[in-house]
Amino acid sequence: MRSNVARKIEPAARPEAATQEVGRVVRAADGAFVVASGAAELEARRAVSCMVEPEADDVVLVSVVPGRGAYILAVLERQGRDVSVVLDGDLRVKLPGGRFVVGAAEGVTIASGKEVGVVAGEVKVNARLGSLFVESLSYVGTAVQAEIERAKVKAAALDASVERVVERVKRVYRFVEELEQLRAERVDYVARKNMSLRGENTLVTAEELVKLDGAQIHLG
């Protein structure tokens, strides 16, 4: 048998009443707005839920709460097409399930005075053209794989420290204007056909042994 238990309801406070009006923004400066509604002008603030920043000549919906003041709830009409979303404090967008997509026909710009961070399990960038201007760049990773049809690098100085370098290329051309130096414990050059060393002066110096071995040796 289902029992009915009566609960004692405490008298609640009288709810605040609010009236809504439609008006036009006369002045807007530093988060304070003056809205003309009928023959009166109201000093209003932008409600937290109204993310669009009102501008002069906007038609807005205003809620008047006695004892609290007037709040702009929404921007109803605007002559121009530009819209600015302005919020005070931090903004967090959370999607417990689903994707977050930003699309624009003309372009997307992200600007920050301090830091822009991206944290993801995987990052993909697809573009026809790309430009990157960085004063100082640091990269820490375990592997890099790149497939590049053509690469051009111009740098004032390039320093690299690696454990091992393996290159497989079809042709290599090096043009050194002044000096090239190689410091190694062992140097091994192997050519399948011809090897040519040319210079105005060619010096070969060894502390112990210099050996020339070939079917024919021509000097002079």
Side-chain angles (χ1 to χ4, degrees):
M1 181 176 181
R2 182 178 300 176
S3 61
N4 296 326
V5 179
R7 294 182 302 170
K8 183 179 180 181
I9 301 177
E10 298 292 337
R14 185 175 180 180
E16 294 181 284
T19 59
Q20 293 185 357
E21 301 179 7
V22 176
R24 186 178 298 274
V25 177
V26 178
R27 293 186 299 274
D30 299 331
F33 307 93
V34 176
V35 180
S37 177
E41 290 188 350
L42 302 174
E43 293 185 358
R45 294 172 292 172
R46 181 166 56 92
V48 177
S49 60
C50 181
M51 295 187 295
V52 176
E53 180 75 0
E55 298 179 355
D57 293 333
D58 284 352
V59 178
V60 296
L61 178 63
V62 182
S63 177
V64 180
V65 181
R68 293 182 179 270
Y71 298 90
I72 298 179
L73 301 181
V75 177
L76 303 180
E77 296 180 3
R78 173 171 295 179
Q79 295 181 357
R81 298 178 58 185
D82 295 340
V83 176
S84 298
V85 177
V86 180
L87 299 175
D88 295 331
D90 297 338
L91 172 64
R92 295 179 177 84
V93 179
K94 296 183 179 181
L95 299 177
R99 299 175 62 88
F100 180 62
V101 179
V102 178
E106 299 297 331
V108 177
T109 301
I110 299 177
S112 174
K114 293 185 178 180
E115 179 184 1
V116 175
V118 177
V119 180
E122 184 177 357
V123 177
K124 294 182 179 179
V125 178
N126 298 323
R128 187 176 62 87
L129 297 175
S131 300
L132 177 64
F133 299 93
V134 180
E135 183 176 352
S136 178
L137 177 63
S138 298
Y139 170 79
V140 179
T142 56
V144 175
Q145 182 179 356
E147 296 181 3
I148 303 174
E149 183 177 352
R150 181 180 180 183
K152 184 178 182 180
V153 178
K154 183 178 180 181
L158 178 62
D159 297 330
S161 177
V162 296
E163 181 73 19
R164 184 182 65 173
V165 176
V166 178
E167 294 180 340
R168 292 181 176 86
V169 296
K170 191 173 183 179
R171 288 179 295 270
V172 176
Y173 300 95
R174 295 173 57 86
F175 300 92
V176 180
E177 185 175 350
E178 294 183 0
L179 175 66
E180 181 176 4
Q181 291 184 349
L182 174 63
R183 298 288 189 270
E185 184 176 352
R186 297 181 181 88
V187 178
D188 184 8
Y189 288 108
V190 177
R192 292 183 180 179
K193 292 185 178 181
N194 298 325
M195 179 179 291
S196 177
L197 297 176
R198 299 178 182 178
E200 181 178 355
N201 298 306
T202 302
L203 304 177
V204 178
T205 304
E207 295 182 357
E208 295 183 0
L209 176 64
V210 175
K211 181 180 179 180
L212 299 177
D213 187 3
Q216 294 184 10
I217 298 177
H218 296 268
L219 299 176

